[in-house]
Amino acid sequence: MKHFFNRKDSIVTEALDGFLATAGSGTLARLDGYPEIKVVLRADWDKTKVSVVSGGGAGHEPSHAGFVGAGMLTAAVSGEIFASPSVEAVLAAIRATTGPAGCLLIVKNYTGDRLNFGLAAEKARVEGFAVEMVIVGDDIALPDIAQPRGVAGTLFVHKIAGHLSETGRDLVSVAAAARAAAKDIFSLGISLSSCSIPGQAHEDRFGAEDGELGLGIHGEPGVERIALQSASSLVAIMAERLAARLDAGSRYALLINNLGSVPPLEMSLIANAVLASPLAKAVTLTMGPGHLMTALNMNGFSLSLIRLDAEREAALLAPVGPHAWLPAKPVRQPLVVAAAKPAVHATAKAASRDAAAERLITVVCEKLISLEEPLNGLDAKAGDGDTGSTVATGARSVLERLDTLPLADRAAALAAIGDTLGTAMGGSSGVLLSIFFTAAAQTLGFGATLPKALLAGLDRMTFYGGAKIGDRTMVDALEPALKALDTGGLEAAATAARHGAEATAAMRKAKAGRSAYIGRQLDGVADPGAFAVAEVFAAVAAMFAPA
């Protein structure tokens, strides 16, 4: 996989400098000693309070440096990518931040972190510092393992300990609260891909139709391979395993963590699935969805839960300085606001039947539905590959409403079709076609012939849309077809539409529509909209052709 970096050995230090340069705060600093010592700390720290120090390998951003600030970490110690920081780096962080109140180290349960933070703690005690260490092992992927991994649930401990330190609690009570919290945290992760490390060869171990359940945060394999299925089904599997760890009658906070490359759209969908699962009955606070503790570019997410009491809830709800932290929010059902009614109420025409109009609309819609895949294929070469699906959606919507249309009143029928397409179709296509049919309906209502009315609709559509003949859009087929329909009938219109669509294949560069944004030449690829127009006119001409 491709990555943005300069040199493999300077990725972390350059990233930390970039983070500090853009943090927008004069309260963050780094210790001297690059590249061996990579510590981000609060420059405004009051050593009369308990310092809270955590860290680990890089690659989990915004953890850990992103959570340094008021109400959370006093310092974060970074190693190289997925590598524990050195003993000397941890010890440097302790010395820089710890006063008489002492220091709490929060460590994820990985051997390297336990050893390096642990030895640093021992050395710091020899130097006279009061140091306590809390180890977090929240991963439930392997239920019977003696030493479960520390993953994203560790962030609950950061937040709770940071809040208690900020409010002036002593080291004994901060450490006790952190240890108790760590015992009440459960996490589980899932991914559809492994992560790749900049500067290292990558071979994805995943198949096209599977993922892994029970992953850690370092790209290590999950506990089990799992078949690709709907998000709700995957969440249901995770929710069942997490729910087995919960205490009946207790309230929980939920952290929905993006492991790296899941798009925000999908993360919100995942959040919806979680809060629609039985797990939601126990959840009163949520954090996320978002990037909190990642695994570089892993295409996965994790769910973490912590049992709440009054003190933990207050700590999680307390505001903090770090912008990377996603504030805890109460779970609420979406508010629904009634849509405003039009200021001018047009009298809707009652449904009416007309066999010829019904047959014509059915033929056109069925033809457009049958073209879904061919149109998507054409659009994939010149756009974003969804023209066929968009057009088919509009056609299906018209067919579904066919019995409600005022078919005996042509003008009213065109207006109703325009309204349907404007509502059902996405993107610009629905709006353009809605303008076309709405303007045609108005002109037809004034007594114009159908071909003249359709030309009037085309005039309004091109006025607002901006396309004209030669711009490589549906207009290249629609305009000559409608002009031919006005003067020569359906056969002439179908021929003109076909010639217009074929002409778009010879146009090397689009001047309107989404394909206008493509830098490459488009030789030999017909515009999907023009192609659809030609196919529709051909189908209609065939319908009216003499037997």
Side-chain angles (χ1 to χ4, degrees):
M1 298 182 73
K2 300 176 182 177
H3 295 273
F4 293 102
F5 68 102
N6 297 313
R7 300 193 323 274
K8 183 180 175 181
D9 62 356
S10 64
I11 292 173
V12 178
T13 55
E14 290 181 57
L16 287 174
D17 281 342
F19 164 72
L20 289 168
T22 57
S25 170
T27 61
L28 296 183
R30 69 169 172 84
L31 284 183
D32 197 7
Y34 268 7
E36 290 81 10
I37 305 297
K38 293 181 280 290
V39 175
V40 172
L41 71 163
R42 291 180 61 178
D44 63 344
W45 180 239
D46 177 2
K47 289 188 178 181
T48 62
K49 297 179 180 179
V50 174
S51 66
V52 180
V53 177
S54 189
H60 305 302
E61 288 68 27
S63 293
H64 302 84
F67 300 127
V68 175
M72 287 197 74
L73 298 181
T74 312
V77 192
S78 178
E80 295 300 320
I81 293 176
F82 293 168
S84 177
S86 68
V87 173
E88 286 306 312
V90 177
L91 187 55
I94 296 171
R95 290 171 180 151
T97 60
T98 306
C103 172
L104 176 67
L105 300 179
I106 300 174
V107 181
K108 293 182 293 301
N109 195 19
Y110 287 94
T111 302
D113 288 348
R114 289 177 66 123
L115 293 176
N116 286 288
F117 277 84
L119 182 52
E122 293 302 320
K123 289 190 172 186
R125 292 186 185 112
V126 171
E127 294 181 15
F129 294 103
V131 180
E132 293 285 342
M133 191 164 94
V134 174
I135 298 171
V136 185
D138 54 308
D139 184 24
I140 65 163
L142 288 169
D144 299 322
I145 192 171
Q147 296 291 339
R149 295 172 294 201
V151 287
T154 308
L155 301 178
F156 286 129
V157 184
H158 290 174
K159 185 68 172 67
I160 292 167
H163 171 72
L164 295 178
S165 167
E166 198 73 42
T167 56
R169 298 280 287 272
D170 62 27
L171 179 59
V172 172
S173 61
V174 174
R179 290 191 182 100
K183 291 179 180 178
D184 284 339
I185 300 171
F186 310 102
S187 297
L188 188 61
I190 192 169
S191 184
L192 304 182
S193 77
S194 55
C195 59
S196 62
I197 299 176
Q200 292 188 16
H202 173 70
E203 184 175 344
D204 199 331
R205 63 178 179 270
F206 288 67
E209 298 297 326
D210 59 25
E212 288 183 352
L213 181 67
L215 293 95
I217 53 174
H218 300 102
E220 64 268 44
V223 171
E224 62 186 272
R225 192 64 61 94
I226 189 166
L228 184 62
Q229 50 199 290
S230 71
S232 293
S233 297
L234 293 173
V235 165
I237 294 169
M238 299 174 72
E240 181 181 10
R241 300 190 186 190
L242 287 163
R245 297 297 189 105
L246 306 184
D247 294 331
S250 293
R251 299 179 305 112
Y252 288 82
L254 167 70
L255 187 151
I256 307 173
N257 174 54
N258 191 334
L259 282 167
S261 65
V262 183
L265 177 72
E266 295 177 30
M267 288 302 300
S268 292
L269 181 150
I270 288 163
N272 185 61
V274 176
L275 294 176
S277 75
L279 195 65
K281 296 176 182 178
V283 175
T284 57
L285 292 179
T286 61
M287 276 135 283
H291 295 88
L292 289 156
M293 186 174 287
T294 62
L296 291 172
N297 56 357
M298 186 180 285
N299 184 24
F301 67 94
S302 63
L303 304 176
S304 300
L305 291 145
I306 181 172
R307 187 174 63 82
L308 291 175
D309 56 26
E311 183 176 73
R312 292 173 189 171
E313 185 168 6
L316 293 175
L317 288 170
V320 296
H323 298 301
W325 179 251
L326 301 177
K329 306 168 291 292
V331 177
R332 301 188 191 283
Q333 291 299 314
L335 295 176
V336 178
V337 178
K341 296 182 179 180
V344 177
H345 297 282
T347 302
K349 295 283 186 177
S352 57
R353 306 301 297 271
D354 183 295
E358 187 170 337
R359 182 176 171 226
L360 174 62
I361 292 170
T362 300
V363 166
V364 170
C365 290
E366 288 180 347
K367 170 55 69 173
L368 291 172
I369 292 169
S370 74
L371 292 172
E372 181 170 0
E373 292 306 317
L375 290 177
N376 281 342
L378 278 177
D379 192 35
K381 299 175 182 177
D384 56 1
D386 67 348
T387 292
S389 298
T390 302
V391 170
T393 296
R396 291 188 185 101
S397 297
V398 172
L399 281 182
E400 290 168 0
R401 294 166 174 78
L402 194 56
D403 291 342
T404 69
L405 297 179
L407 297 178
D409 184 332
R410 288 184 173 182
L414 287 179
I417 291 172
D419 287 343
T420 298
L421 296 178
T423 301
M425 290 176 68
S428 59
S429 301
V431 177
L432 288 170
L433 290 175
S434 184
I435 290 171
F436 173 76
F437 282 105
T438 301
Q442 289 180 318
T443 304
L444 193 64
F446 293 143
T449 64
L450 181 59
K452 294 290 187 188
L454 295 176
L455 281 168
L458 175 65
D459 177 70
R460 290 293 83 194
M461 185 180 77
T462 55
F463 173 79
Y464 289 111
K468 59 183 183 299
I469 288 284
D471 285 350
R472 201 182 182 284
T473 68
M474 74 167 76
V475 174
D476 287 293
L478 187 57
E479 183 173 321
L482 292 180
K483 287 180 177 178
L485 180 67
D486 188 34
T487 58
L490 270 174
E491 284 292 340
T495 300
R498 186 179 72 253
H499 290 161
E502 291 171 350
T504 63
M507 297 175 187
R508 304 187 70 195
K509 188 75 172 68
K511 299 177 183 177
R514 184 160 305 186
S515 54
Y517 300 107
I518 297 177
R520 66 178 185 272
Q521 303 299 327
L522 298 169
D523 294 353
V525 180
D527 176 73
F531 177 77
V533 169
E535 290 292 306
V536 165
F537 271 95
V540 174
M543 184 181 79
F544 285 102

